[in-house]
Amino acid sequence: KPLFVKIPGSDLPTQIETRFKVTVVGVGNVGMACAQTCLTEDLVDELALVDIQADKLRGEMLDLQHAAAFLPRVKIVADTDYAISAGSDICIVTAGARQREGESRPSLLGRNLTLFKSIIPQLVHYSPNAILLIVSNPVDILTYVSWKLSGFPPNRVIGTGTNLDSSRLRFLIADKFDVNAHNVHGYMVGEHGDSSVPLWSTLTLANVPVLNVRDKNGVSYSKESLQELHRTVVESAYEVIKLKGYTSWAIGYSTASLVKSLLRDQRRIYPVSVRAKGFYGIENEVYLSLPSQLGRAGVLGVANVKMGEEEMQKLQQSAKTIWKLQSELEF
Ligand code: 6V0
């Protein structure tokens, strides 16, 4: 006997269209953290995984599929052939060489540029309307490279940028004041990593500027302690890599939160890597992080936040640093 019997006269479609499809390219530590968080946050109906290592790819796919009894129902597929990614709403790119201990993000560039030339055109071919969400490092330059290689409008090419750096900063402040990190607002902008720029004046705790708050010992932040805090944020990626070999969970959750705002048109504001020319006095054709509103059409706009003269100069310097590296690229 069949398990289910159609009610006589019912008109059931043979196939239901997938609502949200996300592809993750690169099933390393970061790619799998992104995939896993997208699944547990119930953001996708179909998840496609692509990598060049066929065995690892199949292993990761099966391992996730075996969690089906504990997850929302999601079709999980994987292949080395990009045809599997067809019709994606978002393509997350995490493929690439991993940052080695002590290696700067720019030095990763040469190794990852070649990969992107093979990856981006294929994603574009199979998902011409997708949003590209770039994670691989150096993320700002690779997002620019993806924009160029894809021919997509800039609203559909985004890098995870300083969303992670900002989250690290918010955690440190939340920890100091013993409050929830959700109640710490503020942005780090510019290049993801070494030349990132914290916008201290945007940092608030329960709407009170962090600069005016005293901790439980009655101590408020000084200029020196803020600089120290920034150094800790910049060094935290290197520290995690030194300790466990790679970073994965924070970037996974950070990426999933961007996916949520994009797919569900949440219109939340995130510091992410966007085409920055023309904003805040930036003259170079670069991608770097600015507070941007993310919705179903991608980047809906860049927020005009209050920025001090020194912060603006640092941001422009960050743009120049990126531009210098980028202008030496051949593609
Ligand atoms: P990993 O664990 O080495 O995984 C990389 C994966 O990419 C492997 O499974 C490879 O097989 C795969 N790969 C390599 N070449 C290709 C190709 N041509 N096509 C498809 N897949 C390919 O690295 P991990 O996952 O730790 O890091 C991935 C990238 O994310 C690196 O560039 C990191 O520097 C970067 N990160 C970016 C962060 C950010 O905030 N933007 C944060 C953390 C890491």
Side-chain angles (χ1 to χ4, degrees):
K1 269 195 200 166
L3 182 59
F4 292 108
V5 181
K6 272 188 210 166
I7 297 170
S10 45
D11 178 16
L12 301 177
T14 47
Q15 234 185 339
I16 302 285
E17 216 180 297
T18 297
R19 237 177 111 222
F20 295 128
K21 176 167 177 174
V22 168
T23 288
V24 177
V25 182
V27 297
N29 300 296
V30 173
M32 290 316 293
C34 293
Q36 194 238 351
T37 39
C38 282
L39 286 176
T40 51
E41 302 261 314
D42 197 5
L43 300 179
V44 293
D45 299 298
E46 182 171 346
L47 175 69
L49 305 173
V50 180
D51 202 291
I52 43 168
Q53 299 184 60
D55 285 354
K56 176 160 170 55
L57 188 58
R58 185 164 162 72
E60 291 291 6
M61 178 192 74
L62 290 173
D63 205 5
L64 281 183
Q65 287 174 339
H66 296 165
F70 317 107
L71 285 172
R73 185 172 168 273
V74 176
K75 184 177 174 189
I76 303 172
V77 292
D79 209 313
T80 52
D81 187 329
Y82 280 78
I84 202 82
S85 69
S88 291
D89 297 287
I90 297 183
C91 297
I92 304 171
V93 185
T94 75
R98 194 193 302 167
Q99 215 168 340
R100 293 177 184 137
E101 191 186 326
E103 184 181 27
S104 71
R105 290 180 180 95
S107 91
L108 262 183
L109 179 57
R111 297 199 282 150
N112 282 343
L113 177 63
T114 319
L115 301 187
F116 270 56
K117 286 186 193 164
S118 69
I119 295 169
I120 302 298
Q122 304 221 57
L123 291 175
V124 170
H125 176 73
Y126 287 107
S127 303
N129 301 316
I131 292 168
L132 298 177
L133 187 52
I134 311 301
V135 185
S136 312
N137 273 320
V139 66
D140 300 290
I141 299 184
L142 289 177
T143 309
Y144 166 82
V145 164
S146 304
W147 173 56
K148 283 287 181 193
L149 291 172
S150 66
F152 279 4
N155 55 302
R156 287 202 284 123
V157 185
I158 308 165
T160 53
T162 53
N163 193 40
L164 176 58
D165 315 52
S166 304
S167 158
R168 285 176 174 144
L169 180 69
R170 289 168 66 191
F171 158 72
L172 289 171
I173 292 170
D175 197 41
K176 180 177 167 73
F177 291 104
D178 205 13
V179 296
N180 192 312
H182 287 266
N183 292 118
V184 181
H185 291 282
Y187 305 112
M188 284 179 70
V189 294
E191 186 199 16
H192 165 55
D194 303 352
S195 78
S196 59
V197 183
L199 300 180
W200 299 122
S201 53
T202 67
L203 270 178
T204 58
L205 222 164
N207 254 352
V208 181
V210 167
L211 292 166
N212 299 347
V213 183
R214 289 169 190 273
D215 68 10
K216 47 187 178 279
N217 302 320
V219 181
S220 57
Y221 280 117
S222 62
K223 197 168 179 191
E224 291 71 37
S225 59
L226 287 177
Q227 278 166 352
E228 185 57 37
L229 197 62
H230 181 222
R231 240 192 321 277
T232 308
V233 171
V234 170
E235 280 164 14
S236 56
Y238 297 106
E239 187 186 5
V240 176
I241 292 170
K242 193 170 173 204
L243 292 167
K244 68 172 238 185
Y246 55 87
T247 67
S248 59
W249 300 122
I251 182 62
Y253 279 102
S254 155
T255 305
S257 82
L258 304 179
V259 169
K260 185 174 188 178
S261 195
L262 292 165
L263 285 181
R264 304 262 163 86
D265 199 32
Q266 293 295 297
R267 296 172 181 249
R268 289 184 60 173
I269 296 156
Y270 293 92
V272 284
S273 198
V274 295
R275 187 187 176 196
K277 189 177 176 178
F279 294 101
Y280 298 102
I282 295 167
E283 292 165 356
N284 308 101
E285 187 62 273
V286 291
Y287 263 72
L288 51 69
S289 287
L290 297 173
S292 309
Q293 194 186 32
L294 302 186
R296 189 62 193 88
V299 182
L300 306 181
V302 171
N304 262 319
V305 295
K306 203 171 137 238
M307 215 181 274
E309 196 55 41
E310 199 185 332
E311 291 167 343
M312 195 114 85
Q313 273 171 12
K314 282 190 180 148
L315 183 65
Q316 290 162 3
Q317 194 49 49
S318 193
K320 284 186 188 134
T321 309
I322 295 171
W323 174 246
K324 195 166 169 295
L325 273 162
Q326 204 171 273
S327 52
E328 287 158 18
L329 295 180
E330 279 177 33
F331 62 97

